[in-house]
Amino acid sequence: ISQCGVLFALHEMGMDMVGFLIICTISPFFAILGIRGAMYAQDKYKVTTKQLLQFALLVYVGVCAWGILGFTGIIGYVYPWELYLIVIPYGGCLGIYESSSRTMFCELVPPGQESEFFGIYEISDKGSSWVGPLVVAVLYNAFGSVRYGFVYLFAACLSAWYLLTYHVDPERGALDCRDKGRIVRMEAVRTKYGVSKKQIQAEIKKRKKLQSSMMSSGGSSAASSKVTSSAVSSASGVDSGSFREKSSVE
């Protein structure tokens, strides 16, 4: 959005360097205020990271939609004062978007695999940064106006908001990541003590009654972990207490 906005301001609206520097000053200033406001909303009103990200994406959708209105020739980045006003909500949500997206990603990374997942994140983030300018350049060459880039940006931001709203469950994802981390740790301990999966399964069947009683008391995940660790310790001949201590360290 920022790159398309810069090209549009310089080439379509003929903004001088002074006005451009003013816009570049307003945006980071309101980005700071936006982050402070997001922190206050989370502390005071218990706003979730997903809700903050949804709000930022909706603001971006509005920023792009305002540019599409310019095809009417009446309003929509037709006058320079519109850029000075629209950069306020854009800058206010810039810090929210950047911080919230990374925070949510941290919540969805399995423990112990942070480097792998953040490597993929950076590849998909920085590695795809050429796609937007390429699409805008193609639209500019085809139609002779940078304004058509707002159509692409509008579709991209709206699609991101839709996928985040209806196809992303951070709570379920965080729970799955914790379960994944627990499984990885148990697999490492199982390999360390040379216990086969068949031995563990046999011990788990023997302790099925214990697992059912723990699950009925409301601790299903903890019960499953305790039963599995107990089964591994029994199958490997290791003392249960020392096994749990070692597995927790692992």
Side-chain angles (χ1 to χ4, degrees), residues 8-244:
F8 185 82
L10 295 178
H11 296 283
E12 298 285 333
M13 303 189 68
M15 180 173 289
D16 56 10
M17 190 57 61
V18 175
F20 180 70
L21 290 177
I22 293 175
I23 291 178
C24 293
T25 304
I26 295 174
S27 179
F29 174 76
F30 280 93
I32 297 174
L33 296 181
I35 293 177
R36 297 296 299 178
M39 293 172 61
Y40 176 80
Q42 285 186 310
D43 294 337
K44 182 69 174 179
Y45 302 104
K46 307 303 179 183
V47 177
T48 63
T49 304
K50 179 179 178 180
Q51 291 173 335
L52 289 176
L53 197 53
Q54 287 174 311
F55 173 75
L57 287 173
L58 281 179
V59 172
Y60 287 165
V61 169
V63 170
C64 298
W66 194 259
I68 297 175
L69 288 177
F71 287 110
T72 63
I74 301 175
I75 200 170
Y77 307 140
V78 177
Y79 307 101
W81 59 265
E82 296 179 80
L83 292 177
Y84 295 109
L85 290 180
I86 206 69
V87 77
I88 295 176
Y90 169 78
C93 291
L94 182 62
I96 297 176
Y97 176 79
E98 294 292 338
S99 59
S100 298
S101 60
R102 285 163 175 77
T103 301
M104 179 176 290
F105 190 78
C106 289
E107 296 173 354
L108 301 178
V109 174
Q113 296 183 275
E114 290 81 2
S115 59
E116 293 90 339
F117 275 78
F118 269 98
I120 296 175
Y121 179 88
E122 288 300 324
I123 291 174
S124 61
D125 182 25
K126 305 302 181 182
S128 61
S129 60
W130 55 271
V131 176
L134 176 63
V135 173
V136 174
V138 170
L139 293 175
Y140 176 78
N141 291 330
F143 300 102
S145 176
V146 183
R147 189 180 295 276
Y148 285 90
F150 288 111
V151 178
Y152 158 72
L153 294 172
F154 174 82
C157 293
L158 187 61
S159 300
W161 177 85
Y162 173 81
L163 293 174
L164 176 65
T165 302
Y166 297 103
H167 296 282
V168 176
D169 188 350
E171 291 78 13
R172 176 62 184 275
L175 180 61
D176 291 342
C177 287
R178 288 194 293 269
D179 292 341
K180 173 66 175 179
R182 187 180 299 111
I183 293 173
V184 170
R185 290 193 297 270
M186 294 304 301
E187 182 70 17
V189 175
R190 183 188 68 80
T191 304
K192 179 179 179 179
Y193 289 106
V195 183
S196 65
K197 292 184 177 180
K198 292 182 178 180
Q199 289 175 294
I200 296 177
Q201 292 173 355
E203 292 295 333
I204 290 176
K205 289 181 180 179
K206 294 179 181 179
R207 302 166 187 272
K208 193 172 182 180
K209 292 183 179 180
L210 177 61
Q211 182 182 14
S212 300
S213 62
M214 290 182 178
M215 291 179 65
S216 62
S217 63
S220 58
S221 298
S224 177
S225 177
K226 290 180 180 178
V227 171
T228 306
S229 62
S230 179
V232 175
S233 61
S234 298
S236 59
V238 182
D239 178 69
S240 178
S242 62
F243 174 82
R244 283 194 296 269

